[in-house]
Amino acid sequence: MWLGLALGLPLSALFMWLAVRNANLGDVRDVLADARPLLVLSAVVVMGGVYVLQGTRWRVIAATPGLPRRRFVEMVVAGVACNNVLPARLGDLFRARWLGRDAAIPGGRALGTVIVDRGFDLATLVAMLLASAWFVGDAGWLRSIAVGGVVVIVVLAGALLFARLYTRAHPRRRRMQRSRPRRIVRDLLEGLSALPSGRRLVDASVLSLAAWGTWALAAWLVGRSLGVDLSPADVAFTCAVMNLGVAIPSSPGFVGTYQWLGVSALGLIGIGTDSALAFSVLLHAIWYVPTTLGGGVILAGRALRAGRDGRKAERRGPAGISRGGHAP
């Protein structure tokens, strides 16, 4: 956490300065004040659909039918809320922990499903960037994002292939004799090797496209509310750049980085700095505020349930025997 803050906060401050240095903040405020409330509310509702689709996709990847879709959606939103206030994307690690507990599966395997889930996001966004960049323009930083995304996909694909080959060539034996770190690594490899195939692969891919298409629709609604007209190629390009670019180390919630990415992406398609900055601020707000509040409520609910379960276990005592001496 400290390392994430030490790296992220200065970079976020730098990117925020880059985003606002050529903007007239008074004009930006005026653009935001003229936003059409109905379209903004519609964008908030549509953005909520992104997390429903992502939670559904994660459930397909995890292949744990005992857990309902609602639980996966809650974990996704709570993970985003943690990323909003904590550095280094710790929310993704918490997601793995929650899945391991709720589904009663090893933590390493649960982490593997989160990595694969993020891999689908990455592949979809890189495809959107490569498809839309032809209609937008070219820039050095844009090529860096595209090349970086492709490199990460190749590395991830290599890791998945290695995990599958290793687990097939070395069947699990003597689980209890392994040290804890080795068990965790083995569980992680098994989670990575369980890449969806057949119908599950198709379902996960379709859900990924639907999720980011829904995000793009929310961004289009935000643009319309501010009088910024974006074509389908423009909004796909903006979606890809803003969501791939936040991989850059930044402060919790991508403050500063998000604004610079929005201004830079829209600048390539001819949108002025003031309107582009207003767009990035409003787009950031329509997902940051609801997920932080909603995720906080979900986390509080999980804490209350954990407290109740702990008190019940304490009353039962060891081996499920109640304090009165009778088995429940």
Side-chain angles (χ1 to χ4, degrees):
M1 289 180 61
W2 286 111
L3 179 60
L5 289 172
L7 290 174
L9 290 178
L11 285 173
S12 285
L14 171 63
F15 286 126
M16 180 62 81
W17 176 76
L18 291 173
V20 305
R21 61 176 177 168
N22 295 321
N24 184 317
L25 296 183
D27 291 342
V28 173
R29 184 180 61 249
D30 292 341
V31 173
L32 288 171
D34 291 337
R36 297 160 65 180
L38 184 58
L39 286 175
V40 174
L41 179 61
S42 299
V44 172
V45 174
V46 170
M47 189 65 79
V50 174
Y51 305 110
V52 174
L53 290 166
Q54 289 182 331
T56 304
R57 181 192 61 196
W58 186 25
R59 184 170 185 260
V60 170
I61 293 169
T64 53
L67 280 183
R69 178 176 63 178
R70 173 181 57 81
R71 190 69 63 83
F72 281 89
V73 175
E74 289 177 351
M75 289 188 287
V76 166
V77 174
V80 173
C82 291
N83 286 337
N84 289 348
V85 298
L86 296 174
R89 289 186 177 270
L90 291 177
D92 290 335
L93 294 179
F94 295 153
R95 276 211 286 153
R97 178 65 170 171
W98 298 329
L99 177 61
R101 287 186 170 183
D102 292 354
I105 61 176
R109 180 190 162 196
L111 180 58
T113 69
V114 174
I115 294 173
V116 172
D117 183 59
R118 284 300 190 185
F120 274 92
D121 283 333
L122 179 63
T124 303
L125 290 169
V126 169
M128 290 176 67
L129 178 61
L130 295 177
S132 60
W134 294 99
F135 303 97
V136 176
D138 191 15
W141 62 267
L142 180 59
R143 289 193 297 271
S144 297
I145 291 177
V147 170
V150 172
V151 169
V152 174
I153 289 176
V154 171
V155 171
L156 179 59
L160 295 175
L161 178 61
F162 170 79
R164 175 160 293 191
L165 294 176
Y166 182 87
T167 53
R168 287 182 177 180
H170 300 83
R172 166 167 275 178
R173 298 186 183 93
R174 303 185 308 277
R175 174 183 172 86
M176 299 308 297
Q177 297 178 16
R178 293 176 180 268
S179 65
R180 180 176 177 83
R182 290 184 64 190
R183 290 201 304 270
I184 292 174
V185 171
R186 176 69 193 206
D187 291 335
L188 175 59
L189 290 174
E190 290 185 353
L192 292 175
S193 67
L195 184 68
S197 58
R199 177 61 182 273
R200 287 175 56 226
L201 177 60
V202 173
D203 289 347
S205 301
V206 170
L207 287 166
S208 191
L209 287 169
W212 290 110
T214 302
W215 194 100
L217 175 59
W220 179 82
L221 288 169
V222 168
R224 290 287 295 173
S225 75
L226 298 172
V228 177
D229 292 323
L230 300 173
S231 69
D234 293 339
V235 78
F237 173 77
T238 304
C239 171
V241 169
M242 296 186 76
N243 288 286
L244 286 172
V246 293
I248 300 170
S250 66
S251 65
F254 319 122
V255 176
T257 308
Y258 208 78
Q259 283 66 46
W260 174 75
L261 289 166
V263 170
S264 300
L266 293 181
L268 284 179
I269 57 181
I271 305 298
T273 301
D274 296 339
S275 295
L277 182 56
F279 171 88
S280 64
V281 169
L282 184 55
L283 181 60
H284 198 179
I286 70 161
W287 65 260
Y288 183 92
V289 175
T291 55
T292 302
L293 296 177
V297 172
I298 293 169
L299 289 169
R302 290 188 66 91
L304 290 174
R305 288 196 301 270
R308 287 197 302 266
D309 293 342
R311 288 191 294 271
K312 289 179 181 178
E314 183 181 353
R315 286 195 298 268
R316 285 195 299 267
I321 303 300
S322 66
R323 289 185 176 181
H326 302 286

